Amino acid sequence: MASERLRVQVLAGVLLILLAVQQALFLSSLYETLQQFALKPMPRWLPLAIIGPFAFYEVLVIFILRYRANRGLDMPTPVRFINALIETSLPTAMLWWVNDYVGPAIAFSTWLSMLYFFYIVASTLRLNFILPAFTGAVAAAGYLGVAYAVLPFGSAPTDPVMLPAYHLLKAAVLLGAGVIAGFVAMRLRAKVRAAAEAAGGSERGRNL
């Protein structure tokens, strides 16, 4: 439970920072520059509308985990999978929204798809194999779903970003990253368990 709280706290902190930076850009003089790349007017509060609900969700999860921890309760396994599904949907939602305003060529060329890797890396703190691998699978499925929904794959594009193979390879990397994160999580769990057993019942053991 402690590692899960740490993971959610990291996610919440990063999302709040990301929200603050993006919203500041939209409220600054750079908004007019961003608007030049848009196909239609972008609301100034667009980052708050996209990132805000996910940041609020992570903060809510922190309070729920703290409440359950104070009562000696763990998070049920089905809820962990639902939580991973909701969290990893943020990059998918951002890609969908940004594509609606600037088109697929720009949307899929930005840093947004890299956000999937942040969730995959953070999933190692779950300290098991299945949930990180599931996070990678959700990321790959979400990315491919948006790509095949908005990209004109039937045409003959000249931009590599518009080629199906480009997105299939990227989805495969996301899936593989989830599997690797799962193995890393298992290794971390084994190390923590071995350290705790070596420390025995001492104060150091309880801290570990």
Side-chain angles (χ1 to χ4, degrees):
M1 179 67 81
S3 62
E4 182 69 11
R5 289 204 308 273
L6 174 61
R7 187 191 65 83
V8 177
Q9 288 169 357
V10 170
L11 290 177
V14 171
L15 288 183
L16 290 173
I17 293 173
L18 179 62
L19 173 59
V21 171
Q22 292 295 312
Q23 190 59 70
L25 289 175
F26 270 70
L27 294 177
S28 70
S29 58
L30 292 175
Y31 170 76
E32 300 301 331
T33 303
L34 296 174
Q35 192 64 53
Q36 295 177 6
F37 297 95
L39 303 175
K40 60 181 182 180
M42 294 187 295
R44 282 190 177 269
W45 295 100
L46 184 61
L48 182 62
I50 301 176
I51 306 175
F54 288 90
F56 174 78
Y57 171 79
E58 297 294 351
V59 173
L60 180 62
V61 171
I62 290 175
F63 284 103
I64 293 175
L65 290 174
R66 186 174 299 170
Y67 174 84
R68 294 182 65 86
N70 291 337
R71 285 155 180 77
L73 300 174
D74 201 354
M75 190 64 71
T77 299
V79 176
R80 291 176 183 266
F81 281 93
I82 295 173
N83 179 50
L85 178 62
I86 294 174
E87 289 178 344
T88 318
S89 298
L90 172 61
T92 303
M94 293 181 70
L95 280 172
W96 181 269
W97 279 71
V98 172
N99 164 78
D100 190 46
Y101 285 99
V102 300
I106 295 179
F108 284 92
S109 300
T110 61
W111 55 268
L112 296 177
S113 60
M114 300 300 294
L115 195 58
Y116 285 113
F117 291 100
F118 170 70
Y119 285 94
I120 293 173
V121 171
S123 68
T124 57
L125 290 174
R126 296 182 184 274
L127 299 182
N128 65 46
F129 174 82
I130 296 177
L131 280 167
F134 176 76
T135 301
V138 171
Y143 179 84
L144 271 185
V146 174
Y148 275 87
V150 304
L151 292 173
F153 285 144
S155 60
T158 57
D159 189 345
V161 176
M162 308 294 282
L163 294 173
Y166 172 87
H167 299 283
L168 285 171
L169 179 60
K170 206 164 188 178
V173 171
L174 290 171
L175 183 61
V179 173
I180 293 173
F183 283 116
V184 172
M186 290 176 61
R187 184 63 175 170
L188 286 174
R189 183 170 184 168
K191 288 286 187 180
V192 171
R193 181 175 297 173
E197 290 175 353
S202 65
E203 181 65 23
R204 179 169 175 267
R206 287 190 291 273
N207 291 335
L208 286 172

